[in-house]
Amino acid sequence: MSGIDDLMAESNDRWADAMRRAQGVEDNGLGEAVKTYYTRYFPAGFLILVATGTIGGTLAFPGTPERWPTFLTFGFLLGFLGALIVGLVYNSKKVVPAAKLGRINVLLSLENEEKKQVRRQIAGKAPIDPEHLSVTRAAAVQLRKGLATQLLLAPLYPLIFIPQVMNLALRGDSLFAWLMAIGVGVVVAGVGLLARDFRRAGRFLTSTAEQTAPGNAPL
């Protein structure tokens, strides 16, 4: 029995370390910060810069309407650079302050199988362990913060390749146009998975909030 007792003691120590790291980790509005970015700043800024770059190229080189795909590419490039800068600034000013993360990954002390179970709970694929709920919630906050930053930047990459697909298609290079279009589709699908995981973590935090309220903490 001593071997089992030792294993239990080691497990308790790992979870105790994780619970200490989980103290003070909170989501203070990551969902609202990402929503605001995509409903206000990103669409307005990106569209304005794309239009500015495209129209500017047309005005700078009048009489060459056949070059409009090149001007559109320049507009998308300008929009990409502008959105990248705005995304980085917005992440620093709005997303980072929207969560208290602590200094260390709360799952650092846990074994791989224990980490896997925590992630499955956050994804809604495993029953919630009330004894270690504070750790799981803190892990969800840290995961959600990382996903929020990725969601600000990842969608920019397929946008910059869209006009290149159009250019290739107009030039008759259908093979490379299709290959690049498939690549864009793969990136878009990846962004969709990021958004799904972000929403899952948010739903987990919302559904478990009452369980961690004062008076409802597990004994």
Side-chain angles (χ1 to χ4, degrees):
M1 294 295 293
S2 61
I4 297 178
D5 292 339
D6 289 343
L7 290 176
M8 290 297 295
E10 291 176 2
S11 176
N12 291 336
D13 289 342
R14 290 195 300 271
W15 283 104
D17 288 340
M19 293 178 72
R20 282 194 293 270
R21 296 190 181 105
Q23 293 179 3
V25 177
E26 297 177 356
D27 183 336
N28 295 323
L30 287 170
E32 187 62 30
V34 173
K35 179 181 178 180
T36 300
Y37 177 75
Y38 275 106
T39 56
R40 297 181 186 178
Y41 298 100
F42 177 75
F46 186 80
L47 291 176
I48 290 173
L49 289 172
V50 169
T52 300
T54 304
I55 296 173
T58 304
L59 295 176
F61 301 96
T64 55
E66 71 279 358
R67 296 184 59 186
W68 72 265
T70 302
F71 301 147
L72 181 62
T73 300
F74 176 75
F76 266 76
L77 178 60
L78 183 62
F80 170 84
L81 293 175
L84 177 62
I85 294 172
V86 172
L88 292 173
V89 173
Y90 188 86
N91 179 69
S92 175
K93 299 295 184 180
K94 297 295 184 180
V95 174
V96 171
K100 296 180 180 179
L101 299 180
R103 296 183 179 180
I104 304 176
N105 187 331
V106 297
L107 304 183
L108 183 63
S109 61
L110 302 184
E111 294 185 343
N112 289 334
E113 187 60 32
E114 293 169 330
K115 295 176 182 178
K116 181 179 179 181
Q117 282 301 109
V118 168
R119 296 188 183 104
R120 286 178 59 81
Q121 292 177 56
I122 295 172
K125 297 180 179 180
I128 295 174
D129 177 7
E131 182 180 358
H132 303 130
L133 182 56
S134 62
V135 174
T136 309
R137 282 180 56 82
V141 174
Q142 291 183 338
L143 172 65
R144 194 163 153 85
K145 165 55 182 66
L147 291 171
T149 299
Q150 293 180 62
L151 283 172
L152 297 186
L153 303 178
L156 298 177
Y157 298 104
L159 292 175
I160 197 173
F161 289 113
I162 290 175
Q164 297 184 40
V165 173
M166 296 173 57
N167 278 332
L168 289 170
L170 291 172
R171 294 173 184 174
D173 195 344
S174 58
L175 175 60
F176 281 99
W178 275 110
L179 290 176
M180 188 169 289
I182 292 172
V184 170
V186 171
V187 176
V188 170
V191 174
L193 293 177
L194 292 177
R196 180 203 63 182
D197 292 342
F198 183 79
R199 288 195 299 268
R200 280 180 174 177
R203 286 196 297 266
F204 171 81
L205 291 171
T206 300
S207 66
T208 58
E210 292 185 359
Q211 300 180 44
T212 57
N216 294 334
L219 298 177

